Amino acid sequence: MSKVLGIVCARKASKRFPEKNIAQIGGLSLVERAVRTLNQAGLDRIVAATDFPLGFDPKQYNAIHLFRSQNTSSDILALQETVKWVYLSLNDSYKSIVFLMPNCPMVDADSVKQSITLLHNRCYNVVRSYNLKGLENGLIAVRTKYLLDHFIDVYCGCIICEGNEIHDEQDYLKIKKIMEG
């Protein structure tokens, strides 16, 4: 696998489900679960970028924590801009970047690997994940150069993987029940 950066971006504020990203499933917060998934996928470097303390040691997942300022935590700032900020903060180069939204806890390491393989082997610039209903579910892999030069909401490759995004407490309770049994 070429040099790949994994990023999990999360804000404490959520209009529909306050503190959603620190909600737990199976004893792990949604943020920790996403960081762990990227680690299990074998990425070269992982960053959790949040505007709140993590509540876990990111080093156990070969990750670091970058604290997001109010400027990079606004709900009007496009996620792509926050991902660029993380990348540029590292002063290192990566062939591609995978960002996994913590509100998609059913996306697994195999899906992350599949998205990277599709990105590199099929020469796509962007690969996104969708569930069986055709709804995006929180995993985006992108070539770094493309991310820096383009808005990524364009034609892209896709993979199908389990799960829905968590937007409110009802979504959270449904997914938690599925995952915890």
Side-chain angles (χ1 to χ4, degrees):
M1 192 180 300
S2 296
K3 199 166 175 187
V4 180
L5 171 64
I7 299 175
V8 175
C9 292
R11 298 181 307 115
K12 189 171 185 176
S14 173
K15 292 178 181 136
R16 294 177 280 187
F17 182 23
E19 300 186 354
K20 163 180 66 183
N21 291 311
I22 61 173
Q24 294 203 356
I25 295 178
L28 300 176
S29 71
L30 296 181
V31 171
E32 183 174 0
R33 190 172 279 283
V35 169
R36 182 184 72 173
T37 297
L38 294 176
N39 182 57
Q40 290 170 336
L43 303 188
D44 298 290
R45 190 162 191 193
I46 302 162
V47 177
T50 71
D51 62 354
F52 55 87
L54 291 178
F56 66 93
D57 182 2
K59 291 177 187 169
Q60 68 183 317
Y61 302 110
N62 197 28
I64 63 168
H65 180 230
L66 286 181
F67 189 80
R68 292 171 63 179
S69 69
Q70 191 172 11
N71 291 344
T72 58
S73 294
S74 167
D75 65 350
I76 60 171
L77 183 67
L79 176 63
Q80 178 174 343
E81 295 306 313
T82 303
V83 170
K84 283 182 188 178
W85 169 78
V86 170
Y87 172 74
L88 295 171
S89 297
L90 298 176
N91 294 317
D92 201 354
S93 62
Y94 296 87
K95 181 176 181 176
S96 53
I97 299 171
V98 173
F99 42 110
L100 179 58
M101 293 173 231
N103 66 338
C104 305
M106 294 179 74
V107 174
D108 62 14
D110 287 338
S111 297
V112 173
K113 291 176 189 176
Q114 183 183 5
S115 71
I116 295 165
T117 299
L118 186 59
L119 184 74
H120 294 171
N121 293 349
R122 294 293 207 106
C123 297
Y124 288 112
N125 289 313
V126 180
V127 174
R128 293 184 141 177
S129 66
Y130 296 87
N131 66 18
L132 292 174
K133 295 178 184 175
L135 302 172
E136 183 184 21
N137 65 353
L139 172 64
I140 301 173
V142 60
R143 292 178 187 276
T144 303
K145 183 170 176 15
Y146 193 82
L147 172 76
L148 297 174
D149 295 339
H150 298 83
F151 185 71
I152 62 169
D153 199 16
V154 295
Y155 175 77
C156 59
C158 74
I159 62 167
I160 305 297
C161 56
E162 296 248 356
N164 298 318
E165 290 186 358
I166 296 173
H167 293 288
D168 55 32
E169 190 169 6
Q170 187 177 9
D171 294 342
Y172 165 69
L173 293 173
K174 283 180 191 176
I175 290 177
K176 182 177 180 174
K177 185 176 181 179
I178 290 168
M179 293 181 74
E180 290 181 347

